[in-house]
Amino acid sequence: MSDSARTVRVYKAAHAIEAHLLRGLLEQAGIEAYLVGEHQNRAYGAFSHLFAVEIRVPACDETEAREIVARFEADSAETVARPGWNCASCGESNAASFESCWNCGAVRAADRGAGDEFR
Ligand SMILES: [Zn+2]
């Protein structure tokens, strides 16, 4: 087993979308990242986003990769910490990550900017 080919796990993504986001960031920094688990997940087709994906990098890039991961996690935490919102239509409270009301389906009022493009 060659030591130069050794990779280390720097992150376990909750789903493939997160893994691809992080791999993009790592590649911008010149680090070749490998996604482990994604291949097996293809068998599940539409449900592949439900499976965790490991992100591995060459051992020599571990320190730099971990810094990027830490920044990525801090950004994610900020997103999660966003306050929730109350539906303008039915008054139900929704989590910040919801783009439309879980109760009545009304689009989040604060996101009207993007919705205006339909008019
Ligand atoms: Zn509502």
Side-chain angles (χ1 to χ4, degrees):
M1 211 185 263
S2 160
D3 194 52
S4 63
R6 203 166 64 95
T7 62
V8 291
R9 189 179 85 176
V10 290
Y11 193 70
K12 189 163 186 180
H15 47 67
I17 297 164
E18 188 182 26
H20 280 278
L21 264 173
L22 189 53
R23 182 169 69 172
L25 291 176
L26 290 165
E27 283 177 349
Q28 276 172 30
I31 299 171
E32 195 175 354
Y34 307 90
L35 304 187
V36 181
E38 185 190 35
H39 185 68
Q40 295 93 295
N41 293 348
R42 292 236 164 91
Y44 296 95
F47 301 105
S48 66
H49 61 287
L50 296 175
F51 293 83
V53 180
E54 274 187 26
I55 297 167
R56 304 185 74 92
V57 301
C60 58
D61 289 325
E62 183 184 357
T63 309
E64 201 184 346
R66 285 196 185 280
E67 280 171 24
I68 292 164
V69 169
R71 244 176 287 150
F72 176 76
E73 285 185 308
D75 285 351
S76 303
E78 235 170 73
T79 307
V80 171
R82 270 190 307 170
W85 53 281
N86 291 321
C87 178
S89 174
C90 72
E92 197 57 68
S93 60
N94 289 275
S97 58
F98 293 3
E99 296 305 330
S100 58
C101 178
W102 64 267
N103 186 46
C104 73
V107 175
R108 182 181 188 170
D111 288 335
R112 277 288 155 76
D116 285 346
E117 284 171 10
F118 290 109
R119 297 198 157 259

